[in-house]
Amino acid sequence: MDQVLKGQIAIITGASSGIGAGVAKSLALAGATVVVNYPGDSSKEAADAVLSEITDAGGTGIVAQCDVTNEEQVTKFFADVIAQYGTIDILVNNAGLQRDAKFDEMTLEQWNTVINVNLTGQFLCARAAIREFLRRGPRPDVSAATGKIICMSSVHEAIPWGGHVNYAASKGGVKLLMQSLAQEYGDRHIRVNSICPGAIQTPINKSAWETPQALNSLMSLIPYNRIGQPSDIGNLAVFLASDQSDYITGASIFIDGGMTVLESFAANG
Ligand code: NAI
Ligand code: BGC
């Protein structure tokens, strides 16, 4: 892969598994130094394994613990990375989770947990990144933009999702967080975009692909007829972080094998 991100420092939140791990690997292959974030002790070993794969492939980076819902931890996390590397260039706001329930049975805890990680976590990390981009100013030797933020949204910022109302509301929130930031900081040459994945094979949706029956049923929602892989998202993240996408800001880019094309309308309507 071309070293289009050479010399740049990238933080990827929730990078010890799934899409975050795939994005960290792709950004590292493209030359970025990556910060593989994990939330707590139980995911440290997995984060170390992701970093080993990266360094074995010739990439560079570190692992760093931070719970993205905790303001103090986020402040310290960004300060430590900036102390070590001088600045950051790319934030991938990826950490996220589901706490599914029928709406009439959903607890406040299930609601708050999802909103805190998926939306408030993105707010805290985006704010820390933008503060650093504004402090540091342009770095034209490494990138045309002063800084880049990529928000991991979902097809469910557009497709309503009964049984997952907390999750869909969090991603709807991410959509306008992203767009409003792109509008507010465009004149400072800070680019903010969202990736909106469809079904990607990771631990978050294991029940949708772990049996042949489940996978078969999932295929009825995906015109392209395969489940996505973290590397699919990694490739798009490299593009959105690089100067090849320098005129793209405020965009939600769907990467879903056609899930949002509403296949059910193909034969009639
Ligand atoms: P995953 O469960 O493998 O990854 C989620 C990551 O977030 C984990 O590494 C977890 O440790 C981390 N995390 C959770 N709470 C955290 C916290 N408080 N602080 C820091 N990290 C925390 O699942 P996946 O699929 O890789 O999810 C990544 C992102 O992609 C999420 O935002 C999810 O909503 C989004 N997404 C996933 C899709 C899929 O089909 N897998 C589709 C659309 C969006
Ligand atoms: C969810 C997955 C789901 C996918 C497609 C994602 O946002 O996290 O569980 O498979 O959307 O519906």
Side-chain angles (χ1 to χ4, degrees):
M1 189 183 276
D2 288 350
Q3 298 277 291
V4 288
L5 302 178
K6 198 169 169 23
Q8 300 193 45
I9 315 301
I11 287 179
I12 305 98
T13 66
S16 60
S17 65
I19 290 174
V23 167
K25 289 176 203 169
S26 295
L27 296 186
L29 273 178
T33 294
V34 293
V35 179
V36 175
N37 161 252
Y38 64 96
D41 290 346
S42 62
S43 43
K44 179 171 189 320
E45 208 175 304
D48 286 337
V50 172
L51 183 62
S52 291
E53 260 195 73
I54 286 169
T55 51
D56 288 351
T60 55
I62 53 169
V63 300
Q65 183 277 327
C66 172
D67 173 349
V68 298
T69 68
N70 183 310
E71 186 174 21
E72 265 176 49
Q73 288 188 27
V74 171
T75 303
K76 180 171 184 318
F77 171 48
F78 277 76
D80 288 350
V81 172
I82 292 161
Q84 178 159 355
Y85 291 117
T87 191
I88 63 156
D89 302 283
I90 300 157
L91 166 66
V92 184
N93 250 338
N94 168 77
L97 43 70
Q98 292 180 210
R99 291 290 181 269
D100 307 329
K102 276 170 60 66
F103 186 68
D104 55 293
E105 289 167 7
M106 187 173 285
T107 63
L108 180 59
E109 191 191 357
Q110 287 170 322
W111 174 268
N112 282 340
T113 300
V114 170
I115 298 296
N116 284 342
V117 176
N118 297 12
L119 186 55
T120 308
Q122 293 218 14
F123 154 66
L124 288 172
C125 293
R127 189 182 64 176
I130 283 178
R131 284 176 176 167
E132 171 56 14
F133 299 153
L134 295 176
R135 181 200 67 78
R136 188 238 304 136
R139 220 156 76 98
D141 48 322
V142 299
S143 177
T146 298
K148 282 106 19 163
I149 297 178
I150 298 170
C151 300
M152 203 56 67
S153 184
S154 166
V155 290
H156 298 297
E157 73 164 48
I159 304 176
W161 208 19
H164 313 257
V165 168
N166 46 1
Y167 185 85
S170 74
K171 297 301 185 180
V174 166
K175 176 184 175 186
L176 279 165
L177 169 73
M178 176 282 287
Q179 290 180 344
S180 304
L181 287 179
Q183 187 192 62
E184 189 168 347
Y185 294 101
D187 66 346
R188 307 301 297 264
H189 276 200
I190 295 170
R191 292 196 297 113
V192 191
N193 293 291
S194 284
I195 294 178
C196 301
I200 310 299
Q201 191 166 19
T202 75
I204 209 173
N205 56 1
K206 199 167 172 213
S207 61
W209 51 262
E210 68 181 338
T211 65
Q213 295 88 327
L215 191 59
N216 196 37
S217 151
L218 181 63
M219 286 311 113
S220 69
L221 297 173
I222 307 176
Y224 203 61
N225 218 33
R226 76 162 169 87
I227 192 165
Q229 296 301 325
S231 56
D232 291 312
I233 309 301
N235 290 334
L236 178 55
V238 169
F239 172 69
L240 281 178
S242 78
D243 283 356
Q244 288 170 357
S245 61
D246 190 53
Y247 205 48
I248 301 181
T249 193
S252 286
I253 302 193
F254 289 80
I255 170 164
D256 63 358
M259 190 176 251
T260 37
V261 185
L262 296 176
E263 191 197 22
S264 50
F265 281 81
N268 52 38

